[in-house]
Amino acid sequence: SDQECLVGSGADTRIVDGRGRSIMHSAAIADMDALEREILNVGSFVVRGAPPEVAREIDHAGIIADLLEAEVAFHQAKWAVLESLLEAHELVTDTAARRDIAQRVVDVMAERPRF
């Protein structure tokens, strides 16, 4: 079967294909968990910072949706930068320049918003 499924629990959770081969490493799942916590923390900060008369009217789910949309937009922007860098990496023949571009690719991939 080509079905994908979750195996394990907690930090040992992984996604496997129908043959039992890992598709997603547990580190990627841990990164996703950390991202979810970060988004919830930012959303909670926004709610806690609102005056009491406004706090009653806040759409909590809307805040989380907005934060998730911003996260997607951030990654789309990163992808646009990465596409250009990868194209430059393919075209450059100088070893030092290729190494510099490769490092920049890694740096862009690691970028996160600062709150």
Side-chain angles (χ1 to χ4, degrees):
S1 164
D2 288 339
Q3 288 277 35
E4 297 173 357
C5 64
L6 288 173
V7 176
S9 63
D12 295 327
T13 302
R14 65 187 197 283
I15 298 174
V16 296
D17 64 12
R19 296 185 178 106
R21 293 180 298 206
S22 290
I23 297 171
M24 183 179 288
H25 295 283
S26 58
I29 293 171
D31 289 347
M32 186 63 172
D33 289 342
L35 177 60
E36 288 173 356
R37 281 191 307 277
E38 182 179 2
I39 287 172
L40 286 173
N41 286 337
V42 171
S44 295
F45 177 81
V46 169
V47 171
R48 283 192 307 266
E53 62 276 3
V54 174
R56 289 186 294 275
E57 303 297 323
I58 291 177
D59 177 10
H60 295 231
I63 290 173
I64 298 301
D66 289 345
L67 289 169
L68 288 170
E69 287 177 17
E71 185 71 25
V72 168
F74 175 72
H75 285 285
Q76 288 171 334
K78 278 180 30 173
W79 179 246
V81 171
L82 288 169
E83 281 183 313
S84 297
L85 288 170
L86 292 171
E87 185 175 334
H89 187 267
E90 289 178 10
L91 297 174
V92 170
T93 57
D94 179 64
T95 304
R98 286 178 63 93
R99 192 175 318 118
D100 290 344
I101 293 170
Q103 182 60 54
R104 185 66 187 133
V105 166
V106 171
D107 293 345
V108 169
M109 289 173 61
E111 283 291 323
R112 292 289 311 138
R114 293 184 186 95
F115 298 107

